[in-house]
Amino acid sequence: MGQGGEPRRVRAHDGELGAAVARAQEGDEAAFAVAYRLVQPALLGYLRGLVGNDAEDVASDAWLEIARDLGRFKGDGAGFRGWTATIARHRALDHLRRQKVRPRSSALEQDVLELPGPHSTHDQALESISTEAALELVGGLPRDQAEAVLLRVIVGLDAPSAARVLGKRPGAVRTAAYRGLKRLAKQLGVQGVTDDGPRTLGESK
């Protein structure tokens, strides 16, 4: 299975993250701080796509639960990213229920205008999606597509891991992420993202 759809900068730290989590489970507070530093930026990006400006508050709630339940986690660095994303998603949904609001559903035109110019490669398109302004665009996608794109691109999960977070089949997540990226590419004026079907996300058939 290829992993071209995951940000390399996220994947590169999975070994370090797994080791830090293992030490943290033995009571090493400094190691927990390392795990937090490696996971928090992507987790915050994911939460911004779900709850907007309340992302930091929701992330704080999520990390309290992560710290409390750390002893129950079993897995490696990539597994920890998936586990923390699941907890963060539950806290985000709780927050939205309390606020009685839905995730933002429309992109602001000014944000579209502030996005980088057209790119010619898929990797550059993914990088542009990681920007603050592009999170506004992601918020304009249908909910299933938005969450799939956020988990695949921002958090860097593979399709099976993202599927576990969302409680869906991997194929459904691949399709939703592909459709979301295709839609974003159209909005961003990016060429090349839509040419080769779902495999654009780096998944082999």
mmCIF file of all heavy atoms in Angstrom, residues 180-201:
data_model
loop_
_atom_site.group_PDB
_atom_site.id
_atom_site.type_symbol
_atom_site.label_atom_id
_atom_site.label_comp_id
_atom_site.label_asym_id
_atom_site.label_seq_id
_atom_site.Cartn_x
_atom_site.Cartn_y
_atom_site.Cartn_z
ATOM 1 N N GLY A 180 -13.477 14.887 -2.040
ATOM 2 C CA GLY A 180 -13.207 16.162 -1.388
ATOM 3 C C GLY A 180 -12.002 16.854 -1.992
ATOM 4 O O GLY A 180 -12.033 18.064 -2.263
ATOM 5 N N LEU A 181 -10.924 16.090 -2.242
ATOM 6 C CA LEU A 181 -9.727 16.677 -2.846
ATOM 7 C C LEU A 181 -10.020 17.160 -4.266
ATOM 8 O O LEU A 181 -9.527 18.203 -4.699
ATOM 9 C CB LEU A 181 -8.589 15.647 -2.873
ATOM 10 C CG LEU A 181 -7.891 15.411 -1.537
ATOM 11 C CD1 LEU A 181 -6.905 14.263 -1.664
ATOM 12 C CD2 LEU A 181 -7.185 16.671 -1.057
ATOM 13 N N LYS A 182 -10.824 16.398 -4.985
ATOM 14 C CA LYS A 182 -11.180 16.787 -6.355
ATOM 15 C C LYS A 182 -11.937 18.116 -6.342
ATOM 16 O O LYS A 182 -11.663 19.019 -7.128
ATOM 17 C CB LYS A 182 -12.041 15.687 -6.980
ATOM 18 C CG LYS A 182 -12.382 15.909 -8.445
ATOM 19 C CD LYS A 182 -13.139 14.703 -8.983
ATOM 20 C CE LYS A 182 -13.497 14.893 -10.452
ATOM 21 N NZ LYS A 182 -14.241 13.732 -10.971
ATOM 22 N N ARG A 183 -12.849 18.224 -5.381
ATOM 23 C CA ARG A 183 -13.633 19.459 -5.267
ATOM 24 C C ARG A 183 -12.750 20.635 -4.866
ATOM 25 O O ARG A 183 -12.869 21.750 -5.408
ATOM 26 C CB ARG A 183 -14.720 19.223 -4.220
ATOM 27 C CG ARG A 183 -15.849 20.215 -4.226
ATOM 28 C CD ARG A 183 -16.958 19.626 -3.375
ATOM 29 N NE ARG A 183 -18.114 20.494 -3.331
ATOM 30 C CZ ARG A 183 -19.297 20.096 -2.920
ATOM 31 N NH1 ARG A 183 -19.480 18.843 -2.548
ATOM 32 N NH2 ARG A 183 -20.318 20.926 -2.883
ATOM 33 N N LEU A 184 -11.844 20.398 -3.921
ATOM 34 C CA LEU A 184 -10.928 21.456 -3.486
ATOM 35 C C LEU A 184 -10.004 21.870 -4.622
ATOM 36 O O LEU A 184 -9.722 23.051 -4.811
ATOM 37 C CB LEU A 184 -10.100 20.978 -2.291
ATOM 38 C CG LEU A 184 -10.843 20.866 -0.967
ATOM 39 C CD1 LEU A 184 -9.940 20.226 0.075
ATOM 40 C CD2 LEU A 184 -11.310 22.227 -0.488
ATOM 41 N N ALA A 185 -9.519 20.867 -5.364
ATOM 42 C CA ALA A 185 -8.623 21.168 -6.479
ATOM 43 C C ALA A 185 -9.305 22.078 -7.491
ATOM 44 O O ALA A 185 -8.701 23.011 -8.030
ATOM 45 C CB ALA A 185 -8.171 19.872 -7.151
ATOM 46 N N LYS A 186 -10.571 21.815 -7.723
ATOM 47 C CA LYS A 186 -11.332 22.636 -8.658
ATOM 48 C C LYS A 186 -11.432 24.067 -8.136
ATOM 49 O O LYS A 186 -11.252 25.043 -8.872
ATOM 50 C CB LYS A 186 -12.727 22.034 -8.854
ATOM 51 C CG LYS A 186 -13.546 22.711 -9.942
ATOM 52 C CD LYS A 186 -14.855 21.961 -10.157
ATOM 53 C CE LYS A 186 -15.678 22.633 -11.256
ATOM 54 N NZ LYS A 186 -16.965 21.943 -11.461
ATOM 55 N N GLN A 187 -11.689 24.204 -6.830
ATOM 56 C CA GLN A 187 -11.796 25.533 -6.235
ATOM 57 C C GLN A 187 -10.457 26.269 -6.229
ATOM 58 O O GLN A 187 -10.401 27.482 -6.374
ATOM 59 C CB GLN A 187 -12.325 25.420 -4.801
ATOM 60 C CG GLN A 187 -13.780 24.985 -4.725
ATOM 61 C CD GLN A 187 -14.225 24.759 -3.292
ATOM 62 O OE1 GLN A 187 -13.563 24.080 -2.526
ATOM 63 N NE2 GLN A 187 -15.360 25.318 -2.926
ATOM 64 N N LEU A 188 -9.387 25.499 -6.052
ATOM 65 C CA LEU A 188 -8.053 26.097 -5.982
ATOM 66 C C LEU A 188 -7.447 26.323 -7.362
ATOM 67 O O LEU A 188 -6.385 26.924 -7.481
ATOM 68 C CB LEU A 188 -7.116 25.195 -5.167
ATOM 69 C CG LEU A 188 -7.425 25.079 -3.676
ATOM 70 C CD1 LEU A 188 -6.656 23.927 -3.069
ATOM 71 C CD2 LEU A 188 -7.088 26.373 -2.963
ATOM 72 N N GLY A 189 -8.094 25.767 -8.392
ATOM 73 C CA GLY A 189 -7.545 25.893 -9.737
ATOM 74 C C GLY A 189 -6.337 25.016 -9.951
ATOM 75 O O GLY A 189 -5.452 25.328 -10.742
ATOM 76 N N VAL A 190 -6.277 23.894 -9.199
ATOM 77 C CA VAL A 190 -5.124 22.994 -9.300
ATOM 78 C C VAL A 190 -5.367 21.974 -10.400
ATOM 79 O O VAL A 190 -6.422 21.367 -10.472
ATOM 80 C CB VAL A 190 -4.895 22.255 -7.962
ATOM 81 C CG1 VAL A 190 -3.750 21.271 -8.088
ATOM 82 C CG2 VAL A 190 -4.631 23.256 -6.866
ATOM 83 N N GLN A 191 -4.365 21.774 -11.234
ATOM 84 C CA GLN A 191 -4.435 20.740 -12.262
ATOM 85 C C GLN A 191 -3.678 19.517 -11.767
ATOM 86 O O GLN A 191 -2.700 19.630 -11.049
ATOM 87 C CB GLN A 191 -3.803 21.234 -13.567
ATOM 88 C CG GLN A 191 -4.458 22.492 -14.117
ATOM 89 C CD GLN A 191 -5.927 22.306 -14.413
ATOM 90 O OE1 GLN A 191 -6.325 21.310 -14.996
ATOM 91 N NE2 GLN A 191 -6.744 23.266 -13.998
ATOM 92 N N GLY A 192 -4.126 18.338 -12.172
ATOM 93 C CA GLY A 192 -3.358 17.133 -11.877
ATOM 94 C C GLY A 192 -3.866 16.334 -10.701
ATOM 95 O O GLY A 192 -3.508 15.188 -10.539
ATOM 96 N N VAL A 193 -4.702 16.928 -9.860
ATOM 97 C CA VAL A 193 -5.205 16.187 -8.704
ATOM 98 C C VAL A 193 -6.293 15.215 -9.131
ATOM 99 O O VAL A 193 -6.466 14.169 -8.555
ATOM 100 C CB VAL A 193 -5.757 17.154 -7.632
ATOM 101 C CG1 VAL A 193 -6.313 16.393 -6.445
ATOM 102 C CG2 VAL A 193 -4.656 18.084 -7.186
ATOM 103 N N THR A 194 -7.024 15.573 -10.174
ATOM 104 C CA THR A 194 -8.213 14.804 -10.533
ATOM 105 C C THR A 194 -7.969 13.829 -11.675
ATOM 106 O O THR A 194 -8.882 13.148 -12.098
ATOM 107 C CB THR A 194 -9.350 15.757 -10.936
ATOM 108 O OG1 THR A 194 -8.924 16.495 -12.088
ATOM 109 C CG2 THR A 194 -9.690 16.708 -9.823
ATOM 110 N N ASP A 195 -6.743 13.747 -12.153
ATOM 111 C CA ASP A 195 -6.521 12.998 -13.389
ATOM 112 C C ASP A 195 -6.479 11.496 -13.230
ATOM 113 O O ASP A 195 -6.783 10.765 -14.156
ATOM 114 C CB ASP A 195 -5.200 13.449 -14.036
ATOM 115 C CG ASP A 195 -5.271 14.903 -14.491
ATOM 116 O OD1 ASP A 195 -6.393 15.414 -14.657
ATOM 117 O OD2 ASP A 195 -4.216 15.502 -14.653
ATOM 118 N N ASP A 196 -6.080 10.987 -12.060
ATOM 119 C CA ASP A 196 -5.866 9.545 -11.970
ATOM 120 C C ASP A 196 -6.710 8.870 -10.901
ATOM 121 O O ASP A 196 -6.346 7.873 -10.327
ATOM 122 C CB ASP A 196 -4.381 9.218 -11.757
ATOM 123 C CG ASP A 196 -3.801 9.923 -10.550
ATOM 124 O OD1 ASP A 196 -4.526 10.748 -9.949
ATOM 125 O OD2 ASP A 196 -2.652 9.655 -10.217
ATOM 126 N N GLY A 197 -7.858 9.440 -10.611
ATOM 127 C CA GLY A 197 -8.825 8.744 -9.772
ATOM 128 C C GLY A 197 -8.382 8.649 -8.315
ATOM 129 O O GLY A 197 -7.476 9.348 -7.874
ATOM 130 N N PRO A 198 -9.047 7.788 -7.556
ATOM 131 C CA PRO A 198 -8.783 7.696 -6.119
ATOM 132 C C PRO A 198 -7.338 7.393 -5.778
ATOM 133 O O PRO A 198 -6.887 7.679 -4.695
ATOM 134 C CB PRO A 198 -9.711 6.562 -5.667
ATOM 135 C CG PRO A 198 -10.824 6.571 -6.674
ATOM 136 C CD PRO A 198 -10.158 6.949 -7.972
ATOM 137 N N ARG A 199 -6.586 6.806 -6.709
ATOM 138 C CA ARG A 199 -5.198 6.471 -6.385
ATOM 139 C C ARG A 199 -4.349 7.708 -6.166
ATOM 140 O O ARG A 199 -3.220 7.611 -5.709
ATOM 141 C CB ARG A 199 -4.595 5.589 -7.480
ATOM 142 C CG ARG A 199 -5.262 4.206 -7.541
ATOM 143 C CD ARG A 199 -4.544 3.288 -8.499
ATOM 144 N NE ARG A 199 -3.197 2.987 -8.025
ATOM 145 C CZ ARG A 199 -2.312 2.334 -8.775
ATOM 146 N NH1 ARG A 199 -2.622 1.948 -9.986
ATOM 147 N NH2 ARG A 199 -1.108 2.079 -8.292
ATOM 148 N N THR A 200 -4.906 8.864 -6.480
ATOM 149 C CA THR A 200 -4.198 10.124 -6.181
ATOM 150 C C THR A 200 -3.816 10.187 -4.710
ATOM 151 O O THR A 200 -2.843 10.807 -4.341
ATOM 152 C CB THR A 200 -5.103 11.344 -6.469
ATOM 153 O OG1 THR A 200 -5.880 11.064 -7.638
ATOM 154 C CG2 THR A 200 -4.271 12.581 -6.698
ATOM 155 N N LEU A 201 -4.613 9.554 -3.865
ATOM 156 C CA LEU A 201 -4.365 9.602 -2.431
ATOM 157 C C LEU A 201 -3.253 8.661 -1.995
ATOM 158 O O LEU A 201 -2.963 8.549 -0.828
ATOM 159 C CB LEU A 201 -5.652 9.238 -1.675
ATOM 160 C CG LEU A 201 -6.773 10.273 -1.821
ATOM 161 C CD1 LEU A 201 -8.028 9.750 -1.194
ATOM 162 C CD2 LEU A 201 -6.368 11.580 -1.199
#
